[in-house]
Amino acid sequence: MSDVSYKIKPSTFANLPGGFTARQIAASISPKFLELIILPTEKCNFRCTYCYEDFEIGAMSEGTILGIENLISRRVPTLEKLRLSWFGGEPLVAKKIVLRIASHAKLVCEQHNVNFDGGLTTNAYLLTSDLAALLISLKQNFFQITLDGWKAAHDDRRKRADGLGTFDQI
Ligand code: SF4
């Protein structure tokens, strides 16, 4: 074990190579900011050639959903900000879970005047305009959507589970 100790001055944060500001670093370690990264399912309607998922784990169990809702209810009164980040698998394959937990979180945050938002890393295949409007009404208003180049290159890498291309629908 090394006996070297490190001292980090606050001014160091402003010079981090990643370009983060001191405010961003402070927010990331503040107990008043909570970000939950939630995988409501590991299943997906795509089979991208580079994907690392095995797609075995399906929708989150009722017990896990209740656990997340309880965690939100307990933590929100101590927070200034709550953020939900949805990941998968494809989170919209389990959209009922996304909508349920986001609805709960929005309600609790409103009751305690806590800033609330969220977003999805999604392949967007199931993201209709109606569903997008519903998600945005629940403050889930950031969407990270990947296109792997133009149609030919994209469809070569990002196929549906049945092998068809996805570019046009996205
Ligand atoms: S959309 Fe994401 S989870 Fe689905 S197959 Fe592609 S990389 Fe994997």
Side-chain angles (χ1 to χ4, degrees):
M1 176 184 286
S2 169
D3 59 0
V4 176
S5 63
Y6 297 93
K7 291 180 181 174
I8 302 175
K9 298 175 186 170
S11 59
T12 304
F13 295 139
N15 299 321
L16 285 178
F20 296 105
T21 65
R23 181 182 291 272
Q24 287 171 316
I25 296 292
S28 72
I29 58 175
S30 168
K32 296 207 170 281
F33 173 71
L34 177 65
E35 178 174 13
L36 298 177
I37 300 174
I38 305 175
L39 287 66
T41 182
E42 290 187 3
K43 292 204 179 292
C44 186
N45 50 343
F46 281 20
R47 289 296 181 273
C48 303
T49 54
Y50 46 76
C51 186
Y52 55 80
E53 285 286 359
D54 57 21
F55 311 109
E56 285 191 0
I57 301 177
M60 187 177 272
S61 70
E62 178 67 18
T64 303
I65 296 169
L66 285 171
I68 293 170
E69 290 177 337
N70 287 338
L71 171 68
I72 290 169
S73 295
R74 289 182 60 179
R75 284 298 312 278
V76 162
T78 69
L79 297 178
E80 290 176 0
K81 182 174 183 65
L82 172 67
R83 173 170 291 158
L84 303 181
S85 293
W86 299 96
F87 204 73
E90 166 50 44
L92 293 180
V93 167
K95 69 178 180 183
K96 284 185 182 173
I97 297 173
V98 175
L99 296 172
R100 171 175 162 181
I101 294 176
S103 298
H104 175 82
K106 179 172 179 279
L107 178 65
V108 177
C109 286
E110 284 173 352
Q111 289 169 341
H112 295 275
N113 202 24
V114 169
N115 189 298
F116 173 56
D117 67 14
L120 296 87
T121 299
T122 172
N123 63 38
Y125 198 87
L126 303 171
L127 187 62
T128 63
S129 53
D130 283 350
L131 180 55
L134 185 53
L135 287 163
I136 290 167
S137 76
L138 296 172
K139 308 271 187 163
Q140 307 306 285
N141 49 17
F142 174 82
F143 301 91
Q144 180 169 307
I145 300 166
T146 302
L147 290 170
D148 283 7
W150 295 109
K151 180 177 167 67
H154 173 96
D155 283 347
D156 198 43
R157 296 189 193 106
R158 309 205 77 200
K159 301 177 189 299
R160 292 192 331 200
D162 62 9
L164 293 178
T166 61
F167 185 89
D168 291 337
Q169 173 77 1
I170 294 173

